[in-house]
Amino acid sequence: MIQRRGLFAAAAGLTLAAPGLTRAETWPARPVRLVIPYPPGGGTDIAGRFLGNKFAQILGQPVIIENRGGAGGMIGTRAVGQAPPDGYTLLFNGTVSIVRDNFDPRSVVDHVVRVVATHNILVVNHTIPARTVPEFIAYLKANPGRVNHGTSGPLASQHLAAVMFDLLAGTRMENVHYRGTGPSVVGILGNEVQVMFGSMSAVLPLIQDGKLRALATSSAQRSRMMPELPTVGDFVPGYGSELTYSLCTPIGASEGLKRRLEEMVKIALEDETLVAEMATRGFEPQYEIGESLRRSIEADMARWVDVASRAGLTLG
């Protein structure tokens, strides 16, 4: 474990000559922009700010957070893909993605290192009487199409989690698409929608305050933060919807820069204070790089394309 005193010494040895800089300069020689492709308040934003603040300490340069929400994360992803691959524009986004509108996000950004995982939590507001997943399924079947589900955008993780639920449970919810998790939380509190598969970081404080009721986690495994909470898969065989986050660069970044980013994330996740702070919002370190990460992303994308196809969703 690298302690706080040793962290900066370790980082100091990780200098990198960056494209466009003179031999005397090292990356970063100026502030770094970290794009989060969702509005403030959601899980991507919360986890990204944790990471951005730690990067600023490691690098000795400001890390400027820029929220570019819309289209289920595609607007911010495209923007990063158009930036020079010099390390001064990075993307922090959910690893689960999908090819749609003839756009494959892997054509413009590289997922360099997986950072953390969290859970989407199936939550309902006070208008839904169900207190268990079986009760919720029965309620949906008795009220087909009359319960609104809030998403962070079309074909984003929350949307696909609900689509998979309907597909496997034989229910039908109406999906209402927002520009991110933060706005969808406002929607469920105001009863525009009655249910969400919300990221734990966004809904945990509301569960603790009694404003939302948690029914289950969408992940295949129970949450360390809420071990008493069952999984959807405990009641709906075959269900599992994990949510992880990665640090990405525009296509064309040098291998040296990628190795530097991998090492920075490793140093950050070895900071006990940071890990403890992230845990209070439901984030669990999940470091993965290289070929292993590539295979994981391909498997995720294939699974969600299959779910979308079976549900009759249009991707092209």
Side-chain angles (χ1 to χ4, degrees), residues 7 12 22 42 62 87 101 120-121 129 162 173 180 184 248 268 293 309:
L7 186 149
T22 69
D101 301 329
N120 278 332
I121 305 297
M173 293 181 280
S184 65
C248 311
L293 178 57
S309 177

Side-chain angles (χ1 to χ4, degrees), residues 134-149:
E135 289 177 359
F136 182 59
I137 292 173
Y139 184 83
L140 290 176
K141 289 183 174 180
N143 298 274
R146 295 177 61 186
V147 175
N148 292 332
H149 170 264

Side-chain angles (χ1 to χ4, degrees), residues 176-208:
V176 178
H177 301 304
Y178 294 86
R179 289 178 62 87
T181 300
S184 65
V185 168
V186 174
I188 194 172
L189 294 176
N191 201 36
E192 291 179 348
V193 298
Q194 294 75 48
V195 57
M196 282 179 58
F197 281 88
S199 58
M200 180 182 286
S201 55
V203 301
L204 181 59
L206 300 171
I207 295 169
Q208 294 169 333

Side-chain angles (χ1 to χ4, degrees), residues 2-316:
I2 298 177
Q3 301 299 326
R4 185 174 294 270
R5 179 179 297 175
L7 186 149
F8 299 105
L14 298 173
T15 57
L16 171 71
L21 297 181
T22 69
R23 290 180 178 272
E25 293 177 307
T26 57
W27 178 88
R30 59 182 188 272
V32 174
R33 181 169 62 123
L34 181 61
V35 174
I36 296 172
Y38 291 98
T44 312
D45 177 68
I46 294 168
R49 289 177 185 275
F50 275 126
L51 190 66
N53 290 339
K54 179 52 61 178
F55 276 6
Q57 294 178 20
I58 294 172
L59 296 172
Q61 286 281 358
V63 174
I64 301 168
I65 302 295
E66 180 179 328
N67 295 91
R68 294 286 297 272
M74 293 300 178
I75 291 176
T77 299
R78 287 180 184 271
V80 171
Q82 294 170 357
D86 56 8
Y88 289 100
T89 301
L90 305 173
L91 176 73
F92 186 79
N93 197 13
T95 305
V96 173
S97 192
I98 198 166
V99 177
R100 66 180 193 193
D101 301 329
N102 298 314
F103 174 64
D104 184 340
R106 294 171 300 179
S107 68
V108 298
V109 297
D110 277 329
H111 287 264
V112 175
V113 50
R114 196 195 305 264
V115 182
V116 292
T118 189
H119 300 266
N120 278 332
I121 305 297
L122 174 58
V123 294
V124 297
N125 69 12
H126 64 89
T127 68
I128 302 296
R131 294 186 174 275
T132 67
V133 172
E135 289 177 359
F136 182 59
I137 292 173
Y139 184 83
L140 290 176
K141 289 183 174 180
N143 298 274
R146 295 177 61 186
V147 175
N148 292 332
H149 170 264
T151 86
S152 59
L155 299 178
S157 65
Q158 291 92 334
H159 180 205
L160 293 171
V163 169
M164 177 185 277
F165 184 92
D166 277 343
L167 200 63
L168 297 181
T171 54
R172 181 164 63 88
M173 293 181 280
E174 292 297 319
N175 287 290
V176 178
H177 301 304
Y178 294 86
R179 289 178 62 87
T181 300
S184 65
V185 168
V186 174
I188 194 172
L189 294 176
N191 201 36
E192 291 179 348
V193 298
Q194 294 75 48
V195 57
M196 282 179 58
F197 281 88
S199 58
M200 180 182 286
S201 55
V203 301
L204 181 59
L206 300 171
I207 295 169
Q208 294 169 333
D209 290 344
K211 295 179 180 179
L212 296 177
R213 185 184 312 124
L215 302 183
T217 173
S218 71
S219 304
Q221 304 295 327
R222 294 197 178 200
S223 163
R224 298 176 190 172
M225 283 288 293
M226 303 178 71
E228 75 288 350
L229 192 66
T231 70
V232 171
D234 290 339
F235 310 100
V236 181
Y239 188 93
S241 174
E242 287 72 36
L243 182 56
T244 65
Y245 301 94
S246 294
L247 184 67
C248 311
T249 64
I251 291 288
S254 70
E255 291 303 309
L257 175 61
K258 292 177 183 179
R259 301 296 84 76
R260 174 76 162 97
L261 295 174
E262 291 171 1
E263 189 64 25
M264 284 167 54
V265 170
K266 186 177 181 181
I267 290 171
L269 295 182
E270 289 178 340
D271 184 326
E272 294 177 349
T273 300
L274 175 65
V275 171
E277 289 173 348
M278 290 195 298
T280 65
R281 300 304 299 267
F283 296 109
E284 302 168 5
Q286 190 173 110
Y287 185 85
E288 189 175 10
I289 61 175
E291 184 64 18
S292 175
L293 178 57
R294 186 190 66 79
R295 289 195 302 266
S296 294
I297 291 173
E298 287 188 351
D300 280 344
M301 295 184 77
R303 173 178 57 164
W304 291 117
V305 167
D306 177 65
V307 168
S309 177
R310 290 164 59 194
L313 299 181
T314 301
L315 302 180

